[in-house]
């Protein structure tokens, strides 16, 4: 199967939020996530490093939180400040819109739980729709049986993540042709893919007349998806050889003695501008001294080589 060499799993989903403390509180108190570590500020006031490596304004600054959400999902949250920051996120039907779907054992129990935390929800069929205080969209559902769909047991486990794209055919093409995804289902305006052993990725065609400018990582609604790979250098070399893909800067090593000392990583973009990342965090990272939660749970590894 074509894919990023030595990729083993989707490492995390990442989103930019307006207030990191507020987001941490929502995900931990309402959805049961665990905070693994906080970082920041990440900034380089005297160089263009932020622009070269992260494709944001060189004077941008970020605070970061990494959370474990359910059994298999790592969630990275950013709070950015940047001189050119866009503060209005895309709608779900715009390019760059997104949506997280949870599987739950009971929609009634899920609705009661959300109500106890002051979160309004609306039920449509076998789905319950709700939003965070800052407007991030979620769905809890009793998912239909789909061959190959990974659904971890229990409540508030991520079933799939959805992104809205400008050209569905092209997006399905590069995810399956270059990034190792497997097509599970294709509809006229949507496609469901398996990316790695546990990540269900839904791509949706943007609506007619939708906003097509994709948000940057530093914008409200910015986001990226990251892969864990054993050989980050081989992954970068592979992606540099693909038409339309762009590796940002050079492979980076975090050697600051902080919670993820030893992490090697780089960002890249797909042909349509979708932001992605490859990283390697070996076992025994410093953050593990302070929490029992781990980035990797019981999910099997994904082998592309």
């Amino acid at each position: 199967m074509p894919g990023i060499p030595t990729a083993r799993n989707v490492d995390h989903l990442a989103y930019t939020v307006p207030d990191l403390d507020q987001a941490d509180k929502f995900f931990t108190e309402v959805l049961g996530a665990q905070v693994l570590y906080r970082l920041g500020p990440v900034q380089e006031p005297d160089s263009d490093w932020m622009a070269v490596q992260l494709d944001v304004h060189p004077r941008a600054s970020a605070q970061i939180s990494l959370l474990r959400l359910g059994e298999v999902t790592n969630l990275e949250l950013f709070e950015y400040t940047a001189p050119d920051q866009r503060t209005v996120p895309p709608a779900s039907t715009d390019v760059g819109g997104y949506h997280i779907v949870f599987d739950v054992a009971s929609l009634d129990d899920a609705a009661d739980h959300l109500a106890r935390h002051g979160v309004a929800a609306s039920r449509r069929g076998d789905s319950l729709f709700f939003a965070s205080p800052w407007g991030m969209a979620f769905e809890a559902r009793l998912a239909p049986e789909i061959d190959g769909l990974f659904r971890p047991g229990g409540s508030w486990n991520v079933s799939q993540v959805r992104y809205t794209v400008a050209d569905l055919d092209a997006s399905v093409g590069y995810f399956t042709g270059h990034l190792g995804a497997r097509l599970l289902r294709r509809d006229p305006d949507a496609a469901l893919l398996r990316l790695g052993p546990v990540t269900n990725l839904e791509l949706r065609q943007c609506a007619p007349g939708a906003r097509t400018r994709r948000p940057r990582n530093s914008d409200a609604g910015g986001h990226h998806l990251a892969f864990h790979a054993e050989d980050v250098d081989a992954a970068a070399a592979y992606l540099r050889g693909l038409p339309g893909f762009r590796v940002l800067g050079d492979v980076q090593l975090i050697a600051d003695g902080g919670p993820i000392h030893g992490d090697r990583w780089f960002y890249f973009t797909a042909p349509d501008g979708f932001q992605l990342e490859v990283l390697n965090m070996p076992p025994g990272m410093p953050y593990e001294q302070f929490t029992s939660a781990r980035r990797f749970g019981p999910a099997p590894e994904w082998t592309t080589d």
Side-chain angles (χ1 to χ4, degrees):
M1 175 185 293
I4 298 171
T6 75
R8 296 291 178 257
N9 213 327
V10 170
D11 181 84
H12 64 261
L13 312 173
Y15 302 96
T16 298
V17 300
D19 184 318
L20 194 59
D21 290 335
Q22 178 193 47
D24 275 355
K25 181 177 180 180
F26 177 81
F27 277 103
T28 56
E29 295 186 1
V30 179
L31 299 178
Q34 294 175 274
V35 176
L36 276 65
Y37 54 81
R38 295 277 296 255
L39 298 171
V42 177
Q43 58 190 13
E44 288 289 338
D46 301 318
S47 77
D48 63 354
W49 185 91
M50 296 290 286
V52 171
Q53 295 297 147
L54 302 178
D55 199 23
V56 298
H57 192 282
R59 302 287 80 81
S61 177
Q63 300 280 349
I64 306 170
S65 180
L66 196 287
L67 300 91
R68 184 70 173 181
L69 179 60
E71 295 180 354
V72 299
T73 303
N74 298 318
L75 183 70
E76 189 174 40
L77 301 176
F78 289 79
E79 179 185 339
Y80 266 101
T81 58
D84 60 351
Q85 185 178 43
R86 295 164 65 195
T87 57
V88 178
S92 62
T93 54
D94 291 336
V95 173
Y98 53 76
H99 187 94
I100 292 179
V101 181
F102 299 97
D103 273 355
V104 293
S106 166
L107 290 181
D108 290 336
D109 290 347
D112 289 344
H113 171 84
L114 292 170
R116 287 195 297 273
H117 287 86
V119 178
S122 62
R123 185 166 179 171
R124 299 197 293 273
D126 286 336
S127 291
L128 194 68
F129 295 88
F130 62 100
S132 71
W134 64 94
M136 188 172 177
F138 301 95
E139 178 183 351
R141 73 179 189 184
L142 302 174
E145 290 296 329
I146 300 172
D147 182 40
L149 184 69
F150 179 84
R151 291 197 295 273
S155 296
W156 306 119
N157 282 294
V158 175
S159 169
Q160 67 189 58
V161 58
R162 178 185 302 164
Y163 299 103
T164 303
V165 297
D167 186 328
L168 182 61
D169 289 335
S171 297
V172 170
Y174 71 70
F175 268 105
T176 58
H178 297 305
L179 301 181
R182 178 165 62 94
L183 182 64
L184 299 180
R185 185 186 68 208
R186 178 63 194 266
D187 300 321
D189 295 320
L192 183 65
L193 312 175
R194 167 68 65 77
L195 194 57
V198 298
T199 301
N200 302 307
L201 174 70
E202 184 182 14
L203 302 176
R204 290 207 168 187
Q205 178 66 46
C206 68
R211 188 169 69 176
T212 58
R213 181 184 170 190
R214 179 177 291 280
R216 301 170 81 178
N217 282 315
S218 54
D219 292 333
H223 58 272
H224 69 266
L225 182 151
F227 301 88
H228 173 85
E230 298 298 331
D231 189 334
V232 177
D233 296 299
Y238 168 77
L239 291 162
R240 287 192 177 102
L242 296 178
F245 284 79
R246 182 168 67 104
V247 173
L248 304 182
D250 299 316
V251 174
Q252 300 290 296
L253 169 66
I254 296 179
D256 59 0
I260 54 173
H261 178 91
D263 173 32
R264 299 189 74 234
W265 63 274
F266 67 90
Y267 276 30
F268 69 101
T269 59
D272 61 354
F274 197 114
Q275 299 103 332
L276 300 135
E277 181 184 4
V278 173
L279 59 83
N280 179 274
M281 289 192 188
M285 300 298 288
Y287 82 83
E288 296 180 5
Q289 302 173 49
F290 307 106
T291 176
S292 60
R294 297 291 181 267
R295 296 178 72 97
F296 295 103
E301 288 189 339
W302 173 32
T303 301
T304 61
D305 55 334

